[in-house]
Amino acid sequence: MAAEVARELRASFAAGRTRPVEWRAAQLRALVKMIEEKEGDISAALHADLAKPHMESYLHEISLAKASCTFALKGMKSWTKPEKVPAAITTFPSTAQIVSEPLGVVLVISAWNYPFCKSMIHCSIDPVIGAIAAGNAVVLKPSEIAPATSSLFAKLLPEYVDNSCIKVVEGGVEETTALLEQKWDKIFYTGSGTVARVVMAAAAKHLTPVALELGGKCPVIVDSNVDLHVAIKRIAVGKWGCNNGQACIAPDYIITTKAFAPELVDSLKRVIERFYGEDPLQSADLSRIVNSKHFNRLTSLVEDKKVADKIVYGGQTDEKQLKIAPTVLLDVPLDTALMTAEIFGPYLPIITVEKIEESIDFINSKTKPLAAYLFTKNKKLQDDFVANVPAGGMLVNDVALHLANPHLPFGGVGESGMGSYHGKFSFDCFSHKKAVLIRGFGGEATARYPPYTTEKQKILRGLINGSFIALILALLGFPREKR
Amino acid sequence: MAVAELGETVSELRQAYESGRTRSLAWRQAQLRGLLRLLKEQQETAFEALHEDLGKHRAEAYRDEVGLLMKSANVALRQLGKWMTPEKVWVPLVAFPATGQIVPEPLGVILIFACWNVPLGLSLEPLIGAIAAGNAVALKPSELSPCTAKFLAENVGKYMDAAAVKVVQGGPEVGEQLMEHRWDKVLFTGSPRVGRAVMAAASKHLTPVALELGGKCPCIFDMMSSARELQIAVNRIVGAKWSCCAGQACLAIDYLLVEERYLPVLLKVLKSTMKRFFSDADAMARIVNARHFQRLSNLLKDKEVAPSILHGGSMDAENLYIEPTILLNPPLDSAIMTEEIFGPLLPIITLKKIEDSIAFVRTMPKPLALYAFTGDAKLRRRIVEETSSGSVTFNDAVVQYAIDALPFGGVGQSGSGQYHGKYSFEMFSHKKAVMKRGYLIELTLRYPPWNERKIALMRHLYRFDYFGFVLCFLGLRR
């Protein structure tokens, strides 16, 4: 089945169907139409999979997906135009340009045996948008962990887009393994580090380049020099207003000073109650945990007494509904699972340090995160943070927003991934930048060729160093040699 | 090098990087200047090493390696400040007040594997980029060019910061051991077979890789419109095949495609030019070693192929010298037409119409470079649009390597990742997105509890329909 899909797409691509800009624009417009006409169905599927509140679906998925399509539609004309670049004196006269061409047939895998990221539809659709805009044929393998959304994709996409070039393949480990055995021109994978290694190893067999959008523990440093109430609201919505913490860029843990922690915890309690009421498990604005496997994974993180003892707010769970309330912990021992693995859930541990500057070393002692956040008005701390914390992306005084800016590349580094996308970066992700040099026969530098006399070597040196005089000499036919 | 020593080398590099010393502009400039001094002061020794390893003439060594390296280092020195400057990006009004920028940061500790055929260039050109980007670097030159490897090992540490830039010598086992460690990026130049192994090893640590592989670089030869142009074209072809390390270059022309009616004219000029250029046996490099000599000799000895030898064909095993050789229409399924030749053998394939060359090229894996000699603008356009390759050069060959503004790298089987000029800097950098906000304006509609009104407001905002937003906010529109 996977082999057939790959074969059909390769034939479509070889036939040139995906190359014309009009075709690409038509597919993107069809996607916009699909999102607009089926908004209700999409929201319903997200609600079925995650109990995702309608507002979240709209904010994070539907509107972002539409915005991505529109952005690509607007940008495509200039993105597909060759870029002229200066040629060198060495090759005078010549013209040089960089032409973007599609890689060919690409595979987009949305999070395998690991929950999808914050914007599930967005995470799946955005790379597909980039691949189409760049002129590729695409296979999308949506996450089987979100079955309603996955089957919605499988049903809807063929109704709107060119099915001979854009396909959805549903399934779990087996189907994904079959897909990974085929030869693709690029694989874009969103999910966990463990599976990413499998994907990259499979890609290595075919020398297929990969883009890996992985996770990590996204830290939030909160300094005392802030507008605390606003900061806490932003952190709270970034944590629990994003699939209830099941998002790759959701804040994973907070670092603050020992002195400031009590005030911070207090503010958190007030804000959580404001947002979700006294019994968050009853709030319609809180997503549930994606499935019982992850529910159990999360609850086991706080089973250990030395962790459970650190809960300062929340902790309620409802196994039947797969819901966990926003939970705050203070000073959890650093060697526990909660503090070593990516949480991907509604637990928010707070780590305390003596001086706020120590938080930078703390973050750097862990693997590079997908996103790092800092709340402070202190400019020096901001500069220090930007210069010394390697991360996929960073935000100062807010959380997660950079995801929505199509002018910023979105992607990880180190354990949090490789390659970036969003906006034009998606287009670039699925393009090959082909260097094209056009020379004439005007400037023939005989100095290039053997036999290599000393005279020739002198002129050659000059030419390589961009010497105008050497160029003139070469153009005039020096050194003269017998024919 | 012993396994334990290797581990120490890697930790030293990591420590050097973690100490932060490779980050400053001053450090990076000092390394680049050091490299320039190395190339200037040790130039003669470099030429000797290259001659010893490959029989490379000093003019070729300067033209293809030393000269280009000095140019690249100078470009990097000049542009470094600009490359390091964060790029400001537009932020949507809805996020006001906010600033967005893309900040380049080093990846950390880089490993560079170089191939034996351009041993100096393929080590030091990426090194320039890795250093410019602020990384610590380990270089692993090929053991098949031992004198150059030794040259690098002896000099790099002397002219550059030995704690942060190291040369590791050894063969494939050392390469394997190096890959057991975690790097922040690995650049590998070499064959697709080893490229697969490198990428597979890298996947264990999620180390990103750039692979500069080979391929069969075709040369499409359309008839030239004058004798002068024909001669120039042939000069360039001969230069790009045999004057490039005797054809042992990833960018060298592998095979030629020409219309059958032009074959006699082309052959005549080819032979006379070859005679002129290589009157002195010294002018062409040697085959690197006995194993490759054997490989190339087997390509010719294949009994299906031998009858197609048109010119040349003589071999001197003792001196590792193979005469520049032309073949005519060897069988397309023979090794010489399916594997990268990487030697001084040039198969010519004849076609009925030159346009057929496009379909021909498409049946082969994507090459690192595609060359076409033609004055026909329509054919040029078709070639660019209908074929795929790392790069395309019209009416010349190999020279595209010298243009810094053009990215150098392959696609498909010829590799992934590009460098040269600012692309080298970018190859070894992470472009970090940084957004900063203030506390001045708070859009409370972001926060739960959520309701339909908030969603309606959001809709307007996301469409950047600020007027609609205001109306909605004031309750004057749904």
Side-chain angles (χ1 to χ4, degrees):
Chain A
M1 204 274 188
E4 269 165 50
V5 166
R7 225 185 349 256
E8 193 187 330
L9 288 176
R10 220 158 257 302
S12 303
F13 181 76
R17 292 189 64 115
T18 62
R19 308 298 295 265
V21 178
E22 302 75 47
W23 179 90
R24 308 181 201 188
Q27 305 312 306
L28 294 179
R29 279 194 292 269
L31 281 174
V32 174
K33 194 151 160 265
M34 178 184 93
I35 297 169
E36 281 175 349
E37 288 178 2
K38 304 290 178 183
E39 188 181 321
D41 290 346
I42 297 174
S43 265
L46 288 167
H47 189 85
D49 282 334
L50 266 182
K52 202 183 255 237
H54 185 197
M55 175 71 158
E56 263 189 61
S57 296
Y58 180 75
L59 257 191
H60 301 156
E61 312 251 13
I62 293 163
S63 61
L64 281 182
K66 247 186 5 190
S68 294
C69 284
T70 323
F71 190 83
L73 274 165
K74 280 213 271 263
M76 221 164 34
K77 185 148 173 262
S78 73
W79 299 347
T80 49
K81 235 195 306 200
E83 178 197 340
K84 278 194 167 39
V85 298
I89 281 194
T90 320
T91 55
F92 182 88
S94 57
T95 58
Q97 41 179 236
I98 301 172
V99 174
S100 282
E101 60 178 29
L103 290 169
V105 183
V106 304
L107 171 63
V108 175
I109 303 177
S110 261
W112 194 2
N113 62 340
Y114 192 89
F116 44 84
C117 67
K118 145 195 168 105
S119 300
M120 209 204 65
I121 300 243
H122 188 225
C123 261
S124 314
I125 283 290
D126 201 290
V128 172
I129 292 170
I132 293 175
N136 300 278
V138 195
V139 175
L140 169 63
K141 213 300 287 169
S143 170
E144 75 280 14
I145 300 253
T149 325
S150 172
S151 52
L152 187 69
F153 269 131
K155 181 163 100 55
L156 283 186
L157 273 173
E159 288 174 20
Y160 287 85
V161 299
D162 182 345
N163 204 34
S164 69
C165 304
I166 304 169
K167 292 193 183 295
V168 178
V169 173
E170 290 192 88
V173 174
E174 230 180 87
E175 287 76 6
T176 312
T177 311
L179 282 170
L180 285 173
E181 280 167 12
Q182 309 306 315
K183 175 163 143 55
W184 307 98
D185 297 304
K186 187 144 188 178
I187 299 177
F188 186 100
Y189 168 76
T190 306
S192 76
T194 320
V195 177
R197 284 168 167 83
V198 173
V199 172
M200 190 170 166
K205 297 202 186 81
H206 295 288
L207 289 174
T208 299
V210 298
L212 306 171
E213 300 286 326
L214 314 175
K217 291 179 80 63
C218 300
V220 187
I221 304 176
V222 184
D223 188 21
S224 49
N225 181 2
V226 285
D227 183 335
L228 185 60
H229 187 58
V230 175
I232 294 298
K233 281 198 293 184
R234 293 176 179 179
I235 293 173
V237 80
K239 174 76 171 185
W240 297 292
C242 273
N243 279 352
N244 202 7
Q246 301 166 100
C248 50
I249 45 163
D252 189 280
Y253 64 99
I254 291 181
I255 312 178
T256 192
T257 54
K258 287 188 167 38
F260 194 58
E263 214 181 313
L264 194 152
V265 171
D266 243 10
S267 185
L268 262 173
K269 291 179 183 175
R270 271 183 278 122
V271 166
I272 295 174
E273 197 176 311
R274 251 266 291 273
F275 284 1
Y276 302 107
E278 272 181 23
D279 187 4
L281 293 177
Q282 303 304 322
S283 166
D285 292 330
L286 200 68
S287 301
R288 61 150 212 266
I289 306 307
V290 68
N291 61 24
S292 48
K293 175 159 161 267
H294 284 281
F295 181 90
N296 292 331
R297 177 185 65 82
L298 284 165
T299 49
S300 66
L301 287 177
V302 297
E303 243 168 31
D304 188 340
K305 190 166 180 302
K306 61 178 192 244
V307 176
D309 276 351
K310 304 291 184 185
I311 296 179
V312 294
Y313 188 82
Q316 310 96 302
T317 63
D318 179 343
E319 194 170 345
K320 209 165 117 233
Q321 291 206 65
L322 290 180
K323 280 203 166 187
I324 299 179
T327 304
V328 181
L329 306 93
L330 184 58
D331 284 326
V332 176
L334 296 178
D335 57 355
T336 54
L338 191 72
M339 283 313 300
T340 50
E342 185 178 359
I343 297 171
F344 223 73
Y347 296 118
L348 183 63
I350 302 175
I351 306 299
T352 55
V353 291
E354 289 298 333
K355 289 194 335 250
I356 200 66
E357 288 78 10
E358 292 167 30
S359 53
I360 290 184
D361 288 329
F362 184 89
I363 295 174
N364 288 341
S365 70
K366 296 189 175 293
T367 60
K368 300 178 187 180
L370 183 58
Y373 307 110
L374 167 66
F375 283 83
T376 186
K377 289 183 185 166
N378 178 342
K379 181 117 197 337
K380 183 165 176 308
L381 187 60
Q382 290 179 6
D383 290 344
D384 207 5
F385 178 69
V386 174
N388 296 316
V389 176
M394 7 177 75
L395 224 68
V396 175
N397 294 327
D398 213 324
V399 163
L401 275 192
H402 60 307
L403 181 79
N405 184 344
H407 296 275
L408 285 172
F410 180 80
V413 65
E415 278 289 327
S416 52
M418 54 182 86
S420 55
Y421 69 126
H422 282 186
K424 180 168 188 285
F425 302 98
S426 293
F427 176 89
D428 291 340
C429 182
F430 295 102
S431 298
H432 166 55
K433 304 285 176 182
K434 185 160 77 177
V436 179
L437 178 65
I438 304 180
R439 289 209 72 195
F441 295 95
E444 183 51 351
T446 51
R448 293 163 67 170
Y449 311 117
Y452 300 118
T453 62
T454 330
E455 230 188 349
K456 276 190 182 181
Q457 289 181 54
K458 275 214 266 252
I459 291 191
L460 200 60
R461 254 170 216 267
L463 269 183
I464 288 179
N465 288 326
S467 154
F468 200 55
I469 295 187
L471 171 66
I472 302 286
L473 286 176
L475 288 178
L476 289 176
F478 287 92
R480 306 262 191 232
E481 46 172 24
K482 297 197 287 294
R483 278 301 183 84
Chain B
M1 213 190 220
V3 178
E5 258 179 59
L6 215 55
E8 259 173 54
T9 305
V10 179
S11 340
E12 269 173 45
L13 283 171
R14 178 95 19 227
Q15 269 164 38
Y17 179 72
E18 302 288 333
S19 76
R21 63 210 267 178
T22 64
R23 307 291 301 268
S24 69
L25 175 64
W27 182 88
R28 306 182 201 194
Q29 286 171 331
Q31 304 317 304
L32 291 171
R33 290 197 188 101
L35 183 62
L36 279 167
R37 269 196 331 269
L38 192 172
L39 292 169
K40 198 148 155 254
E41 290 172 18
Q42 303 297 334
Q43 203 164 117
E44 285 307 315
T45 325
F47 288 154
E48 277 162 31
L50 289 167
H51 187 85
E52 188 60 41
D53 280 336
L54 292 158
K56 218 180 250 213
H57 191 288
R58 49 192 291 133
E60 206 185 306
Y62 184 81
R63 187 195 69 201
D64 296 346
E65 307 210 44
V66 177
L68 286 183
L69 286 169
M70 290 174 76
K71 183 166 78 80
S72 293
N74 277 315
V75 166
L77 266 171
R78 268 203 313 271
Q79 309 270 349
L80 195 47
K82 196 167 88 168
W83 294 345
M84 283 171 72
T85 309
E87 178 196 337
K88 282 193 166 38
V89 303
W90 177 87
V91 177
L93 199 57
V94 72
F96 182 85
T99 61
Q101 39 177 237
I102 301 174
V103 177
E105 59 180 24
L107 291 170
V109 184
I110 311 293
L111 173 60
I112 298 172
F113 285 103
C115 189
W116 49 263
N117 63 332
V118 185
L120 223 52
L122 295 173
S123 317
L124 297 177
E125 180 74 49
L127 179 71
I128 290 171
I131 294 217
N135 300 281
V137 193
L139 266 185
K140 156 84 183 70
S142 171
E143 74 284 9
L144 296 184
S145 50
C147 298
T148 319
K150 189 154 156 286
F151 169 81
L152 286 168
E154 281 170 3
N155 286 292
V156 166
K158 269 202 295 209
Y159 286 83
M160 303 173 76
D161 182 347
V165 185
K166 294 188 187 291
V167 179
V168 178
Q169 292 189 85
E173 336 72 52
V174 172
E176 271 171 43
Q177 280 157 27
L178 282 170
M179 286 306 295
E180 301 272 307
H181 295 268
R182 186 181 78 77
W183 303 91
D184 296 297
K185 188 146 188 176
V186 174
L187 168 65
F188 169 81
T189 306
S191 74
R193 186 183 59 86
V194 182
R196 285 187 182 88
V198 170
M199 188 170 168
S203 70
K204 299 199 187 82
H205 294 287
L206 285 180
T207 296
V209 299
L211 304 171
E212 299 287 326
L213 312 175
K216 292 179 79 63
C217 299
C219 179
I220 298 173
F221 194 83
D222 191 10
M223 207 43 198
M224 298 286 97
S225 55
S226 71
R228 176 182 163 272
E229 280 187 9
L230 175 60
Q231 181 62 66
I232 293 178
V234 171
N235 285 349
R236 293 174 177 180
I237 290 173
V238 172
K241 177 70 174 187
W242 292 287
S243 180
C244 255
C245 206
Q248 301 166 103
C250 51
L251 285 179
I253 292 177
D254 188 280
Y255 65 99
L256 202 91
L257 293 160
V258 68
E259 273 187 26
E260 50 190 16
R261 58 184 167 136
Y262 293 136
L263 183 64
V265 176
L266 174 63
L267 277 178
K268 184 153 163 284
V269 182
L270 257 177
K271 289 184 193 172
S272 66
T273 312
M274 282 157 77
K275 190 150 164 250
R276 204 161 22 94
F277 283 8
F278 302 111
S279 50
D280 183 358
D282 235 10
M284 192 174 84
R286 279 193 335 257
I287 305 307
V288 68
N289 61 20
R291 184 168 71 83
H292 280 280
F293 183 92
Q294 194 55 49
R295 177 184 66 80
L296 288 164
S297 137
N298 289 340
L299 290 180
L300 285 181
K301 291 210 186 103
D302 180 339
K303 59 182 191 348
E304 309 284 329
V305 172
S308 54
I309 299 178
L310 207 59
H311 177 91
S314 66
M315 304 186 260
D316 176 354
E318 208 188 297
N319 290 313
L320 294 177
Y321 176 82
I322 295 182
E323 197 188 343
T325 302
I326 301 179
L327 303 95
L328 180 59
N329 288 322
L332 295 181
D333 57 358
S334 57
I336 203 171
M337 281 313 294
T338 52
E339 291 165 18
E340 185 178 2
I341 296 170
F342 226 68
L345 319 172
L346 180 70
I348 299 182
I349 308 292
T350 56
L351 307 159
K352 288 255 171 319
K353 287 188 339 290
I354 198 62
E355 288 80 7
D356 296 342
S357 58
I358 293 180
F360 187 97
V361 163
R362 286 170 63 122
T363 62
M364 306 278 237
K366 300 178 185 181
L368 184 56
L370 191 153
Y371 303 111
F373 286 79
T374 180
D376 180 352
K378 185 153 168 282
L379 182 62
R380 274 208 302 266
R381 201 173 45 243
R382 277 196 66 197
I383 289 173
V384 173
E385 286 172 12
E386 297 178 32
T387 66
S388 180
S389 54
S391 64
V392 185
T393 300
F394 291 103
N395 301 326
D396 209 332
V398 181
V399 289
Q400 72 275 23
Y401 189 80
I403 300 182
D404 306 296
L406 284 177
F408 171 74
V411 66
Q413 295 293 102
S414 51
S416 53
Q418 300 173 312
Y419 66 117
H420 281 195
K422 79 163 193 268
Y423 297 97
S424 294
F425 176 86
E426 290 178 0
M427 175 181 263
F428 299 108
S429 298
H430 167 59
K431 297 236 187 126
K432 185 164 74 176
V434 179
M435 200 163 137
K436 292 192 193 175
R437 296 206 66 205
Y439 293 96
L440 192 57
I441 295 180
E442 249 311 73
L443 275 178
T444 53
L445 53 90
R446 283 168 76 175
Y447 308 119
W450 287 316
N451 52 47
E452 283 308 311
R453 179 162 177 274
K454 283 188 176 178
I455 294 179
L457 281 170
M458 248 350 190
R459 267 181 213 274
H460 289 299
L461 269 186
Y462 270 51
R463 275 194 242 115
F464 304 125
D465 177 9
Y466 301 112
F467 187 59
F469 171 78
V470 171
L471 289 182
C472 190
F473 190 76
L474 295 175
L476 297 173
R477 187 204 281 193
R478 187 72 183 81

